[in-house]
């Protein structure tokens, strides 16, 4: 099984979904560590309750982004991680860090990329007037929310939707989408090659 570390900043519902999926004996990955960049990230307790090593490496404790990333990198190596999953990790990683994990680092984004990069994706979707919205799991590259797509799930936008109702509908499909994408990468059925995702059965 591939060893997976999950990076979070908050409540970690996607992290919990990956932990849950990995309990299945057939799942090709195990979650070996959870690291938060905030000491009060709610997901840390949720991970510990599942018996998973989880701790904060708070970026505010470090003088520079580079020093913080060095600490995160050391933690990932100490955990012998093969794959890194960003799950609501709200810090942009440097190109150097991204390069080290190229093809082995995944992110989930709450929109159908390449639409609506960045923050407030549900407001962006309402503003644009799209009638379908959703989530994307992609390989992480240096450009924010730009990497090659591994999996997407669409949901309808309904009359009367608000950012809150859309957040909830999209989140309800994020969890299975992330587990599915991680399984594809862990088995080698989805690989990043020359800036594209190549799929095989
Ligand atoms: C999720 O909706 C995820 O897609 C989003 O943050 C939320 C984290 O929730 N990620 C981003 O916006 C990345 N830019 P969670 O902590 O419950 O998984």
């Amino acid at each position: 099984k591939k060893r997976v570390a999950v990076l979070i900043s908050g409540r970690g519902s996607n992290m919990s979904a990956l932990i849950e999926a990995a309990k299945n004996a057939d799942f090709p990955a195990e979650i070996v560590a959870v690291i938060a960049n905030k000491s009060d990230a709610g997901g840390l307790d949720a991970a510990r309750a599942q018996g998973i090593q989880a701790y904060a490496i708070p970026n505010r404790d470090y003088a520079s982004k580079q020093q913080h990333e060095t600490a995160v990198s050391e933690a990932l190596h100490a955990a012998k991680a093969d794959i890194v999953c960003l799950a609501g990790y709200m810090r942009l990683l440097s190109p150097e860090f991204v390069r080290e994990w190229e093809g082995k680092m995944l992110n989930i984004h709450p929109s159908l990329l390449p639409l609506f990069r960045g923050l407030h994706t549900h407001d962006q979707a309402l503003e644009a007037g799209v009638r379908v919205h959703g989530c994307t799991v992609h390989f992480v590259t240096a450009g924010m929310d730009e990497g090659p797509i591994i999996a997407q799930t669409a949901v309808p936008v309904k009359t009367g939707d608000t950012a809150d109702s859309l957040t909830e509908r999209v989140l309800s499909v994020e969890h299975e989408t992330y587990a599915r994408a991680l399984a594809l990468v862990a088995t080698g059925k989805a690989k990043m090659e020359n800036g594209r995702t190549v799929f095989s059965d």
Side-chain angles (χ1 to χ4, degrees):
K1 285 188 192 248
K2 294 288 186 192
R3 296 173 63 82
V4 175
V6 185
L7 301 190
I8 63 169
S9 298
R11 81 196 140 174
S13 73
N14 278 288
M15 169 211 79
S16 292
L18 295 180
I19 291 172
E20 206 52 44
K23 285 183 183 170
N24 188 325
D26 297 334
F27 198 75
E30 57 180 325
I31 312 304
V32 295
V34 171
I35 299 167
N37 70 313
K38 289 170 182 268
S39 42
D40 62 353
L44 289 174
D45 281 339
R48 287 182 195 124
Q50 299 288 330
I52 290 168
Q53 180 193 45
Y55 52 95
I57 303 180
N59 52 275
R60 50 178 292 180
D61 290 359
Y62 293 81
S64 69
K65 186 184 190 80
Q66 198 202 336
Q67 285 169 36
H68 177 247
E69 286 187 351
T70 300
V72 173
S73 184
E74 281 168 5
L76 295 175
H77 288 295
K80 296 189 165 57
D82 302 306
I83 295 173
V84 176
C85 287
L86 306 183
Y89 189 70
M90 303 309 273
R91 265 182 88 74
L92 196 58
L93 294 160
S94 70
E96 294 72 34
F97 189 97
V98 169
R99 199 169 308 122
E100 190 190 342
W101 291 94
E102 192 170 271
K104 296 176 194 159
M105 184 156 58
L106 284 57
N107 180 47
I108 185 152
H109 182 76
S111 79
L112 293 173
L113 290 173
L115 290 173
F116 316 137
R117 294 181 171 128
L119 296 175
H120 310 299
T121 55
H122 308 301
D123 290 303
Q124 292 190 57
L126 289 171
E127 181 64 25
V130 293
R131 304 312 285 160
V132 286
H133 186 38
C135 67
T136 302
V137 179
H138 63 94
F139 286 110
V140 177
T141 56
M144 184 180 67
D145 305 328
E146 272 185 10
I149 292 168
I150 302 160
Q152 295 185 300
T153 304
V155 301
V157 178
K158 297 183 181 173
T159 310
D161 261 337
T162 61
D164 283 348
S165 62
L166 267 185
T167 301
E168 199 180 320
R169 193 171 308 123
V170 172
L171 193 67
S172 72
V173 297
E174 286 187 38
H175 299 158
E176 78 66 35
T177 307
Y178 212 162
R180 182 157 48 90
L182 174 57
L184 285 172
V185 174
T187 53
K189 290 178 181 172
K191 279 195 180 120
M192 182 170 154
E193 281 173 19
N194 302 316
R196 311 272 308 171
T197 305
V198 178
F199 294 95
S200 57
D201 329 295

